[in-house]
């Protein structure tokens, strides 16, 4: 089995360009099949687990495609998530400038990052997530009731995946669907992605700004009238005690809502689309409901919607996969590539609910591993399982090859999935 330093050590700097060190590959790379990683990842991995790429911004960076190497990068304290590094591998023009202004905690390093992570982890343990089961089940059932009342055909992305995930995230911070704040938050999220605003850094910044304004109002309400919700507890335990500033709390909640909403929306929609393309998998789930948790884990691995979310910079010269990445250069550990490494996952392209290999990195790895993964897993189990149970004749209304996909934003997913029953 390959290790992070298995091949002959080579040092290649970004400025090198010769017959021995050809020009960098263009990145991102498109998926030929929406249900697996881009085919180029396998070709790159076969050559070496580290490869040089050119980003849309014109900068060069390194992509990491091997499972062991991806985990090594994500766990290495010499690799920084701080967006302020000069060669941070931003994928969109202006992203770094916007991020440097807003300073989201996912783009920070310890110990600064640790302060915010601990604050959120205390609220998102397995035990606390399980307490949300009844509420998430209610949200899922309500959205399916609306689908059935609306009648086919219907867009599963807008009317189900987005509706479920945005409602879960809003209720997590204490905003109920009947509140005016809910309509403003979900309206902001919808226009940010479905309106195309998130395809530019400034558009995303405007969306985050509008969302932050709404969340600031929610915080003000919780200061006056506390409730039993995440926002109320953070106001009481963090804001009033001075452990976190108001602007920091607003930004943290805004990033939490956006990240939790967008990734889960895409995972729900793409998972259902993948299952509709493989009816035998749906039958397997219907025969034995106990398979569902394993099915969700396999869909997380296979689809890897947050493939390139882990953007990093080397703070020292680092040897990865036999290559030395010089200090100051950008690194993108590709989660989908790691999750399709054939040395770890046999026949990785196939969706196999009985797969023995379970240690995927769809939620990343190391100190930046997704803080909301327990809630996400519960939400995916309920959203996918309940939909298939309650609408047993669900089927795609258009061929899969007619579906358009969004490659921008923090997660890969379909723009629209028309279904009928």
């Amino acid at each position: 089995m390959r290790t992070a330093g298995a091949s002959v050590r080579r040092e290649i700097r970004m400025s090198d360009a010769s017959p021995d060190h050809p020009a960098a590959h263009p990145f991102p790379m498109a998926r030929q099949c929406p249900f697996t990683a881009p085919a180029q990842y396998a070709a790159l991995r076969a050559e070496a687990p580290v490869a040089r790429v050119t980003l849309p911004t014109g900068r060069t960076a390194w992509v990491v495609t091997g499972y062991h190497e991806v985990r090594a990068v994500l766990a290495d304290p010499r690799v920084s998530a701080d967006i302020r590094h000069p060669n941070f591998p931003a994928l969109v023009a202006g992203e770094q400038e916007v991020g440097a202004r807003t300073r989201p905690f996912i783009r920070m390093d310890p110990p600064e990052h640790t302060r915010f992570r601990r604050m959120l982890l205390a609220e998102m343990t397995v035990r606390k997530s399980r307490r949300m089961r009844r509420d998430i089940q209610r949200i899922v059932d309500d959205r399916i009731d609306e689908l059935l009342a609306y009648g086919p055909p219907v867009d599963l992305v807008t009317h189900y995946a987005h509706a479920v995930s945005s409602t879960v995230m809003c209720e997590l911070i204490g905003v109920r669907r009947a509140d005016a704040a809910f309509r403003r938050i979900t309206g902001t999220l919808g226009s940010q992605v479905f309106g195309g605003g998130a395809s530019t850094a400034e558009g995303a910044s405007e969306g985050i700004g509008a969302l932050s304004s709404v969340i600031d109002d929610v915080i003000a309400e919780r200061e006056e009238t506390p409730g039993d919700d995440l926002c109320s507890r953070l106001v009481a335990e963090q804001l009033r005690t001075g452990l976190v500033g108001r602007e920091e709390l607003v930004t943290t909640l805004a990033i939490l809502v956006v990240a939790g909403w967008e990734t889960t929306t895409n995972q729900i929609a793409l998972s259902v689309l993948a299952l509709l393309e493989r009816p035998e998998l749906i039958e397997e789930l219907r025969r034995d409901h106990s398979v569902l948790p394993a099915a969700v884990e396999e869909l997380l691995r296979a689809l890897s919607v947050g493939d390139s979310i882990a953007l990093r910079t080397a703070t020292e010269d680092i040897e990865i996969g036999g290559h030395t990445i010089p200090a100051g250069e950008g690194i993108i550990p590709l989660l989908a590539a790691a999750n399709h490494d054939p040395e770890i996952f046999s026949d990785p392209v196939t969706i196999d609910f009985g797969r023995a290999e379970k240690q995927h990195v769809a939620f990343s790895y190391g100190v930046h591993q997704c803080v909301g993964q327990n809630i996400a897993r519960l939400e995916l189990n309920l959203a996918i399982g309940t939909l298939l149970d309650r609408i047993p004749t669900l089927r795609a209304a258009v061929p899969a090859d007619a579906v358009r996909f969004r490659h921008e934003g923090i997660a890969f997913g379909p723009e629209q999935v028309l279904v009928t029953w």
Side-chain angles (χ1 to χ4, degrees):
M1 190 169 290
R2 187 179 62 244
T3 61
S7 57
V8 179
R9 186 178 187 273
R10 293 189 295 158
E11 182 167 340
I12 306 174
R13 293 190 176 270
M14 290 297 188
S15 57
D16 293 348
S18 69
D20 293 329
H21 307 312
H25 303 275
F27 187 85
M29 299 168 181
R31 297 190 182 201
Q32 290 72 32
C33 170
F35 311 126
T36 190
Q40 293 96 319
Y41 289 5
L44 291 177
R45 192 191 308 106
E47 186 174 321
V50 178
R52 196 171 61 154
V53 296
T54 301
L55 308 178
T57 60
R59 288 180 180 169
T60 48
W62 299 90
V63 293
V64 184
T65 53
Y67 178 87
H68 290 300
E69 292 78 12
V70 163
R71 283 172 49 118
V73 166
L74 293 171
D76 197 321
R78 300 169 298 169
V79 176
S80 171
D82 195 330
I83 198 169
R84 297 172 298 179
H85 283 290
N87 284 325
F88 182 82
L91 300 179
V92 178
E95 177 185 355
Q96 187 174 19
E97 293 74 14
V98 169
R101 291 198 306 267
T102 57
R103 296 288 285 128
F105 76 96
I106 62 172
R107 300 302 187 205
M108 296 177 180
D109 291 330
E112 190 180 16
H113 167 264
T114 308
R115 180 164 62 96
F116 295 98
R117 183 174 179 84
R118 284 177 179 166
M119 177 178 76
L120 295 174
L121 276 177
E123 293 292 334
M124 297 188 180
T125 61
V126 172
R127 184 176 180 181
K128 287 192 175 182
S129 299
R130 285 172 179 166
R131 291 177 185 171
M132 295 183 64
R133 172 177 286 273
R134 183 177 297 178
D135 289 333
I136 295 176
Q137 186 66 67
R138 168 182 50 79
I139 291 167
V140 167
D141 285 333
D142 287 349
R143 301 297 79 76
I144 294 177
D145 288 344
E146 290 174 0
L147 283 185
L148 294 171
Y150 187 86
V154 67
D155 174 22
L156 201 70
V157 177
T158 303
H159 297 289
Y160 187 65
H162 167 65
V164 167
S165 58
S166 61
T167 307
V168 169
M169 294 312 298
C170 286
E171 290 202 8
L172 174 66
I173 65 170
V175 181
R176 296 300 291 248
R177 189 173 172 82
D179 295 347
F182 176 90
R183 291 189 291 275
R184 284 187 288 154
I185 288 177
T186 54
T188 296
L189 294 174
S191 62
Q192 186 178 329
V193 174
F194 300 113
S199 62
T200 67
E202 287 303 324
S205 178
E206 290 175 8
I208 292 291
L211 175 60
S212 296
S213 177
V214 177
I215 289 176
D216 189 53
D217 291 342
V218 174
I219 290 172
E221 291 174 7
R222 296 305 179 271
E223 287 178 306
E224 294 296 323
T225 311
D228 183 20
D229 54 67
L230 175 64
C231 186
S232 295
R233 288 189 291 274
L234 294 182
V235 166
E237 298 168 11
Q238 303 289 328
L239 183 60
R240 284 182 174 162
T241 58
L243 294 175
V244 67
R246 188 183 191 88
E247 187 174 344
E248 290 177 323
L249 181 56
V250 168
T251 301
T252 299
L253 288 175
I255 292 299
L256 180 68
V257 169
V258 170
W261 160 78
E262 186 170 356
T263 52
T264 311
T265 292
N266 285 284
Q267 185 68 40
I268 292 171
L270 193 58
S271 294
V272 174
L273 183 61
L275 292 173
L276 293 178
E277 288 295 299
R278 295 274 308 276
E280 71 278 11
L281 293 179
I282 296 178
E283 288 306 312
E284 185 177 348
L285 290 175
R286 287 185 176 140
R287 284 195 306 269
D288 183 0
H289 285 181
S290 68
V291 173
L292 185 58
V296 166
E297 294 302 318
E298 175 66 348
L299 289 166
L300 283 164
R301 179 204 68 81
L303 305 181
S304 295
V305 300
D307 178 25
S308 56
I309 194 172
L311 306 177
R312 301 289 188 265
T313 310
T315 59
E316 299 178 20
D317 287 4
I318 300 170
E319 185 178 348
I320 298 291
H323 296 261
T324 295
I325 298 177
E329 296 188 352
I331 310 174
I332 307 176
L334 297 172
L335 305 184
N339 285 335
H340 287 80
D341 187 338
E343 290 195 12
I344 306 299
F345 303 99
S346 59
D347 190 15
V349 174
T350 298
I351 298 175
D352 178 7
F353 296 161
R355 180 177 297 280
E357 314 90 8
K358 306 290 186 183
Q359 301 301 315
H360 64 73
V361 291
F363 289 115
S364 193
Y365 184 74
V367 297
H368 284 274
Q369 193 169 17
C370 175
V371 295
Q373 62 181 287
N374 294 321
I375 294 173
R377 283 187 165 98
L378 177 59
E379 187 178 342
L380 291 167
N381 272 271
L382 295 177
I384 295 169
T386 306
L387 180 70
L388 297 178
D389 277 347
R390 291 196 55 192
I391 311 182
T393 59
L394 187 74
R395 64 186 186 279
V398 297
D401 57 11
V403 176
R404 294 176 57 185
F405 295 88
R406 288 185 288 107
H407 299 268
E408 302 85 8
I410 63 173
F412 173 83
E415 291 183 1
Q416 184 184 66
V417 177
L418 289 177
V419 294
T420 187
W421 56 88

